[in-house]
Amino acid sequence: MAMRSRGLQMRPRRQQSQSQSQSVLVGVLLLLLATAAPQVAAAAGLSQNYYAKTCPNVEALVRGAVTQKLQETFNAAPGTLRLFFHDCFVRGCDASVLISGPGDEHSAGADTTLSPDALDLITRAKAAVDADASCSNKVSCADILALATRDVVQQAGGPSYPVELGRLDGKVGTRAVVKHSLPGAGFTLDQLNKLFAVNGLTQTDMIALSGGHTIGVTHCDKFVRRLYTFKGARPQYSPPMNLAFLRQMRGTCPLNYSPATVAMLDAVTPLKFDNGYYQTLQQQKGLLSSDQVLFADRRSRATVNHFAANQTAFFDAFVAAMAKLGRIGVKTAGSDGEIRRVCTKVN
Ligand code: HEM
Ligand SMILES: *[C@@H]1O[C@H](CO)[C@@H](O)[C@H](O)[C@H]1NC(C)=O
């Protein structure tokens, strides 16, 4: 599409007949419509008071389940936030990530390390919603996940924000598209920007959403290549790491690390949803290459510095980007969606 419009613009204006310039105008308008339509349609299909009549208590019911689960384990907070992100990037925000069975989404790529505590939280929230007689089988698992995500962020110390509702649950959840839909820990800034752009998100959105790494953990295998020089390994790009921190991390992940060992993504304030993640990057203590690159690359550094200096600016950008994330590929009508009775199974 970009190539086509460039071709049109390159044609010298003077040589165009009136019908040619009209068709150029129509072409440009069609292009604008084609790019704008999916987002507008998605936003229009969702609304904050979607369940006002069918399940007026839905927000309190989900929040109650979240509060209870977080009292048992904080892990469910980062786990749920990551679950929502992965759901939306793979086939849209349709709870396809929750479907479980042979060849499901969590049998592939980055989804193999999704948090069982997060899955449990959603199961419990769904049970709490369905236990209310007026709500039973009326609220989608995709919406429960969107609400629970807002609540874990808030309860971990982050911003609260209104959540748009009205998503239907998808009927398909297979491993097929998982790998190329999700970013990798070794991604460069260009690769990150490209994948987020495919999902309608800007570089600023991407940097704000990466702030989700202000809570939670990563396994050694995701960053161990940055700690040692492996014999015979292909040289790979790795942004700089603070030397004392690197030595400390070699202690956490020795060469014979256990696959279960994890380290905090935000070394500054790992249990608080704040802007500590960006300060971590300023100190060159980002564990994932894809995190540290945001500070290393001159094109994204200013935004990292801005969010590190001003938590309100980060929270505002995060909330705006979460709304956009929550609209990706939503199913609001038609036969491609349903209200799942059990979140792990299509009806
Ligand atoms: C920008 C590209 C991103 C990359 C390359 C990336 C990659 C990763 C990796 C490799 C892990 C560790 C997985 C493991 O070892 O188990 C992780 C964890 C996590 N990610 Fe991301 N991620 C990205 C963006 C995001 C976004 C947009 C969010 C949410 C807004 C998010 C939320 C999380 C959370 C909360 C965790 C911790 C999970 C836990 O402790 O259970 N990530 N991510
Ligand atoms: C921080 O960011 C907020 C939101 O963008 C802005 O209103 C405020 O003025 C900023 N504060 C400072 C000290 O720059």
Side-chain angles (χ1 to χ4, degrees):
M1 242 165 43
M3 271 176 60
R4 206 182 143 218
S5 69
R6 218 176 294 137
L8 287 172
Q9 280 159 7
M10 264 154 51
R11 204 179 296 166
R13 268 195 168 270
R14 247 173 287 122
Q15 285 171 21
Q16 284 170 2
S17 71
Q18 207 190 350
S19 77
Q20 265 177 326
S21 44
Q22 265 170 2
S23 74
V24 169
L25 191 64
V26 169
V28 168
L29 283 174
L30 284 175
L31 279 172
L32 284 174
L33 276 174
T35 21
Q39 286 217 1
V40 173
L46 301 175
S47 63
Q48 288 169 22
N49 58 356
Y50 186 81
Y51 296 106
K53 293 224 169 70
T54 48
C55 182
N57 276 336
V58 66
E59 307 225 359
L61 292 166
V62 171
R63 192 180 310 119
V66 169
T67 306
Q68 205 173 19
K69 179 72 192 181
L70 291 192
Q71 272 163 11
E72 291 169 29
T73 171
F74 179 79
N75 295 345
T80 302
L81 176 56
R82 184 171 185 233
L83 190 64
F84 180 65
F85 166 52
H86 286 213
D87 184 36
C88 294
F89 261 45
V90 181
R91 289 189 188 84
C93 313
D94 67 348
S96 58
V97 72
L98 301 175
I99 295 172
S100 119
D104 60 20
E105 286 182 17
H106 28 120
S107 67
D111 277 357
T112 55
T113 53
L114 286 173
S115 158
D117 280 313
L119 295 168
D120 181 54
L121 185 156
I122 300 304
T123 304
R124 291 206 214 170
K126 169 74 168 165
V129 169
D130 282 352
D132 183 312
S134 64
C135 304
S136 193
N137 293 328
K138 289 187 185 133
V139 182
S140 69
C141 299
D143 281 343
I144 289 174
L145 177 54
L147 285 170
T149 301
R150 183 267 313 271
D151 293 338
V152 297
V153 165
Q154 194 216 338
Q155 293 191 27
S160 190
Y161 54 89
V163 178
E164 293 174 335
L165 301 166
R167 300 167 191 80
L168 291 176
D169 298 323
K171 296 177 180 174
V172 180
T174 67
R175 53 182 290 142
V177 294
V178 172
K179 276 191 187 167
H180 72 251
S181 301
L182 293 170
F187 268 28
T188 62
L189 184 68
D190 286 322
Q191 288 174 309
L192 291 168
N193 279 334
K194 200 172 160 197
L195 182 61
F196 278 69
V198 165
N199 289 290
L201 298 163
T202 65
Q203 175 175 289
T204 304
D205 294 330
M206 185 272 291
I207 298 169
L209 289 172
S210 294
H213 291 172
T214 179
I215 50 175
V217 298
T218 175
H219 293 81
C220 294
D221 65 307
K222 302 298 188 301
F223 62 90
V224 73
R225 276 181 266 6
R226 302 184 63 207
L227 306 180
Y228 306 97
T229 316
F230 289 102
K231 229 178 153 182
R234 273 181 298 152
Q236 61 155 35
Y237 171 72
S238 179
M241 187 183 282
N242 173 288
L243 196 60
F245 183 69
L246 184 145
R247 292 205 184 99
Q248 186 194 329
M249 283 302 121
R250 281 180 175 168
T252 306
C253 304
L255 275 168
N256 62 343
Y257 65 84
S258 146
T261 304
V262 293
M264 300 296 186
L265 285 162
D266 171 5
V268 181
T269 49
L271 301 178
K272 198 160 179 352
F273 194 104
D274 59 5
N275 63 343
Y277 163 80
Y278 300 100
Q279 292 158 12
T280 297
L281 301 185
Q282 287 179 321
Q283 296 168 26
Q284 312 208 114
K285 293 178 181 173
L287 282 177
L288 305 180
S289 180
S290 58
D291 286 331
Q292 194 58 53
V293 77
L294 302 179
F295 183 74
D297 196 305
R298 299 179 61 86
R299 295 169 294 167
S300 45
R301 188 182 302 158
T303 307
V304 169
N305 286 336
H306 182 50
F307 292 162
N310 186 336
Q311 179 162 281
T312 308
F314 162 49
F315 281 5
D316 289 353
F318 181 81
V319 167
M322 285 296 278
K324 287 165 95 177
L325 179 66
R327 291 175 197 146
I328 296 173
V330 296
K331 302 159 178 71
T332 53
S335 56
D336 55 346
E338 62 185 13
I339 306 282
R340 240 177 260 156
R341 275 188 289 276
V342 178
C343 288
T344 53
K345 286 195 189 89
V346 294
N347 290 345

